Amino acid sequence: MTRRYYIVLLCLVATTLVATAQEYHARHDSVWVYNSWEAIMDQWPDTLLVNPEIEVWTPYDIEFKTRSKAANQMLEEQTIAVAVGDTTWLINTKLLQDQGYKGDVKKMDDFAPLFFNAKVAFIQCVPTHTSSGMALLGALLGDPELFSEDPWENPADFFWIDFENKRVDKIDHKKLSELLSVYPDLQRRFEQMRDYKKRYIIQSFFIDFIQRANRDPGYPYLLDRLYPDASIQ
């Protein structure tokens, strides 16, 4: 029951955003803005945007706009994450790209659902970018959608934020096995599963990994990984 509860909880944000976007394209709400990971960890926002325009292009591609040029520039160039309401967190994937993060973040747009605690952070997303070459191949075969993913139809995956190596990587069976290597018993159990490449198995063991890391006093904190040469109070 605990494992199922966490999986449902992690998917709640995407489900909410789907329902919202299907009802109307643009909405308004107050948004808390966080310009550093320290502010995020302390739950101490840098500012509050009252009634910005929220464009929900897909459940995993959300854009914020205001009437202030300075506020828009801050959202694009300085803001790491925003919070809408009490539980919905979104990360600025474009800022991660600007900060030199590699990997799957290059396929993401605008703000995407963020999940985090004191030790881990990851994104939930269906990357929407399709290379021009693959799109052309699909067109030649008479099916332009053949090599593109529909973010409304396809289930989302989780993407690990690797602060040490400045990467964002899909949590597939290979990435999960790498993460589980710090807990050999979990790694063995995962790799011995018949369907270990299936999404539901991967996400289930990923939740086990998060729970183990939270209980483990030796697993490094997120801020310690971000600033390995500094003591963050």
Side-chain angles (χ1 to χ4, degrees):
M1 287 297 295
T2 301
R3 183 179 301 167
R4 291 180 181 177
Y5 169 79
Y6 274 99
I7 293 174
V8 171
L9 180 63
L10 292 174
C11 295
L12 180 61
V13 171
T15 304
T16 302
L17 291 173
V18 169
T20 298
Q22 290 175 340
E23 290 176 6
Y24 43 86
H25 182 61
R27 56 167 292 183
H28 297 269
D29 206 343
S30 294
V31 175
W32 296 103
V33 177
Y34 297 81
N35 293 341
S36 70
W37 283 103
E38 295 93 328
I40 293 171
M41 291 297 106
D42 291 338
Q43 301 285 288
W44 194 263
D46 290 274
T47 190
L48 173 68
L49 298 179
V50 179
N51 290 329
E53 183 177 314
I54 306 176
E55 297 279 2
V56 184
W57 302 108
T58 78
Y60 317 100
D61 182 355
I62 297 94
E63 186 177 4
F64 298 88
K65 297 180 180 178
T66 75
R67 296 181 179 179
S68 166
K69 183 178 179 179
N72 290 336
Q73 185 175 6
M74 176 193 65
L75 284 169
E76 183 175 347
E77 300 177 1
Q78 298 178 345
T79 299
I80 291 179
V82 300
V84 183
D86 296 329
T87 58
T88 303
W89 285 82
L90 303 163
I91 190 168
N92 186 351
T93 63
K94 285 187 175 180
L95 183 63
L96 289 179
Q97 296 173 36
D98 291 343
Q99 292 177 341
Y101 279 74
K102 306 297 183 183
D104 292 308
V105 72
K106 295 293 185 181
K107 306 173 186 177
M108 300 177 186
D109 281 321
D110 302 318
F111 285 79
L114 167 70
F115 299 92
F116 68 93
N117 59 29
K119 294 187 175 182
V120 305
F122 58 98
I123 302 169
Q124 186 181 33
C125 193
V126 174
T128 58
H129 288 182
T130 302
S131 71
S132 58
M134 293 299 284
L136 177 60
L137 180 58
L140 290 174
L141 294 176
D143 187 357
E145 301 299 324
L146 186 61
F147 294 100
S148 63
E149 289 189 311
D150 183 349
W152 298 100
E153 299 294 335
N154 289 351
D157 290 301
F158 296 143
F159 295 81
W160 180 256
I161 305 178
D162 182 345
F163 295 103
E164 294 93 336
N165 299 304
K166 302 192 76 171
R167 294 188 57 87
V168 175
D169 294 309
K170 176 182 173 179
I171 302 176
D172 56 14
H173 65 284
K174 293 181 180 179
K175 185 63 181 181
L176 181 57
S177 182
E178 175 189 323
L179 293 174
L180 292 176
S181 63
V182 295
Y183 303 118
D185 60 318
L186 276 181
Q187 186 184 43
R188 283 193 301 271
R189 283 172 47 206
F190 170 67
E191 292 178 348
Q192 289 170 1
M193 297 293 293
R194 177 184 301 176
D195 296 330
Y196 73 100
K197 294 183 180 181
K198 298 286 188 178
R199 179 182 280 106
Y200 77 97
I201 293 292
I202 291 171
Q203 294 186 349
S204 177
F205 273 87
F206 181 53
I207 299 305
D208 288 342
F209 164 73
I210 293 174
Q211 293 175 330
R212 180 74 68 88
N214 284 340
R215 297 193 301 266
D216 182 2
Y219 194 88
Y221 285 90
L222 185 152
L223 290 181
D224 292 334
R225 301 204 307 278
L226 264 171
Y227 309 104
D229 299 326
S231 177
I232 304 298
Q233 301 298 326

